[in-house]
Amino acid sequence: MSELMCDSLWRASAPKGPELSPLTEDLEVDVVIIGGGFTGLSTALHLAKVGKKVVVVEAKEIGFGGSGRNVGLANAGVWLEPNQLDAALGREAGGALYDMLGKGPDYVYGLIEQYQIECEPVRKGTLHAGVGKQGLAQLQRRYQQMAERGSPVKLLTASEAQQRIGSKSFNSALFDPRAGTIQPMGYARGLAHAALKEGAQLFDQSPVVGIEKLGSRWQICVANAKVMADQVVLAANAYADFFLKPQERKFVPISYSQMATKPLSASELERILPGKEGLWDTCMVMSSFRLDNQGRLIFGGMGNTGTMHTDWAKQRLKDLYPFLSKVEFEYFWSGKIAYSDDHLPHCQVLDQGLFSVSGYSGRGICTGTLMGKELAELLAGQRSQTTFPMDTLGEISMREMKRVFYEVSAHTYHYGQRTHVLG
Ligand SMILES: Cc1cc2nc3c(=O)[nH]c(=O)nc-3n(C[C@H](O)[C@H](O)[C@H](O)COP(=O)(O)OP(=O)(O)OC[C@H]3O[C@@H](n4cnc5c(N)ncnc54)[C@H](O)[C@@H]3O)c2cc1C
């Protein structure tokens, strides 16, 4: 039996990131960015390209947060259905955000090409797979709204979906050919290389412990050094616990866990997602799966319930693919997703020169990259506002109760499915 590594497959299999060191000397820059994930790195890359003096300060390592832990679905659009987006922002602003994020995968795969980022880019589309009557109804709604807006999506029938996925467990699927999969840690590390190449400075193992306004400038402090800057970007997203007290957080952190099998056999790979799309389902306690370049199957689900999660995932995979003789996982890891109250990403201006980005609600690869690009243009004075909402995130009522509710729901769901199948 292979040993289960409690570490992310992505961290283990991505090409090396740049050699960085902690920040130990005082600096004066135009912009300081706190957090070395997609958002912070994309902001730094785009600012450095227009000649700004920019520094990224990361508490742990590049990609330590959601960026290095995610499923790797490079999706177009936000979590909300298009009509819900219009209802939240108004037709004009909702439409602009929808159109911009619809081109998100083009932009991300373009950057990967431009900077030769080694991150297993596969652009074969994604499948949002329907489960049950409600799942089918949701996909029919989404399809209609997306088709009305000219998106090139296709609603697959039960037999088309089952053939594409290689499993009889789904009654439909919404195929989006614009999207694809990447190795997310590879993408984060590649963005770091690209930002350095453009002239940004990056430091790791340097948790920011203080932010203070001094006159019209900002001072941020790490253990042994300070950075003075005109502008600060807080790009710590769901990992902002270092400097935000729980009551100041305007998001609910929700866990999502993933497991990776050993590389599958050639005959198994012919039958599981043979078209190499990435997939997530319509269940309230969502699951996802995809393959990597080595032919590993990466399976994920909401919550972080340790061995119960792996037991559930093994059983679920056997349900999905009964021909899999033995399911063994080699890697197990989890991450935190920042759910905002309105499920929308926000670019907030907290004070003059102090920006905070958050609330991607599980859609951060294209969103974070484009947020970084627009934020850089805003900070460089090339635009006066972003396509993303710039109002302050709403207070989340009963935040801790909601977090516990999601965890308990995931727990109960996984336990129920596990005992149902095992019992
Ligand atoms: C399990 C999981 C699956 C997901 N799947 C997908 C998916 O398939 N597709 C998709 O598009 N999105 C997905 N997402 C969402 C996506 O990963 C995130 O939205 C995105 O990574 C956020 O990027 P970020 O740069 O804003 O934040 P993060 O990547 O979370 O980076 C924040 C960084 O800030 C650092 N930090 C925190 N405090 C400090 C401090 N005081 N000083 C310095 N640094 C600090 C952290 O160490 C961290 O590295 C998923 C998220 C998770 C967790």
Side-chain angles (χ1 to χ4, degrees), residues 81 85 140 187 225 230 280 305 314 316 328 347 378 399:
E81 293 175 15
L85 181 60
Q140 286 168 334
Y187 181 54
D230 298 326
W280 76 106
T305 52
K314 276 184 190 166
R316 180 81 182 118
E328 275 187 39
C347 172
L378 184 81
R399 185 182 35 246

Side-chain angles (χ1 to χ4, degrees), residues 33-41 57-75 184 206-209 222 235-243 254-258 333-338 357-358 360-368:
I33 295 165
I34 303 174
F38 302 141
T39 308
L41 295 167
V57 186
E58 162 57 44
K60 305 274 188 184
E61 61 176 24
I62 294 299
F64 174 81
S67 299
R69 297 164 189 265
N70 71 55
V71 181
L73 304 174
N75 278 318
S206 306
V208 171
V209 290
V222 299
N237 233 311
Y239 288 77
D241 26 347
F242 292 98
F243 51 78
I254 311 270
S255 315
Y256 195 89
S257 301
Q258 293 183 85
W333 69 100
S334 67
K336 285 185 285 181
I337 297 178
V357 181
S358 175
Y360 297 161
S361 305
R363 286 282 175 102
I365 296 175
C366 298
T367 318

Side-chain angles (χ1 to χ4, degrees), residues 7 10 112 144 177 273 297 323 414:
D7 193 5
W10 306 137
I112 291 170
Q144 195 192 342
L273 291 173
L297 183 58
F323 55 84
H414 295 148

Side-chain angles (χ1 to χ4, degrees), residues 95-118:
L97 187 57
Y98 182 84
D99 289 343
M100 196 253 296
L101 291 176
K103 297 185 192 112
D106 279 345
Y107 195 76
V108 165
Y109 285 97
L111 275 186
I112 291 170
E113 174 74 28
Q114 185 185 350
Y115 289 100
Q116 294 291 294
I117 296 178
E118 293 176 50

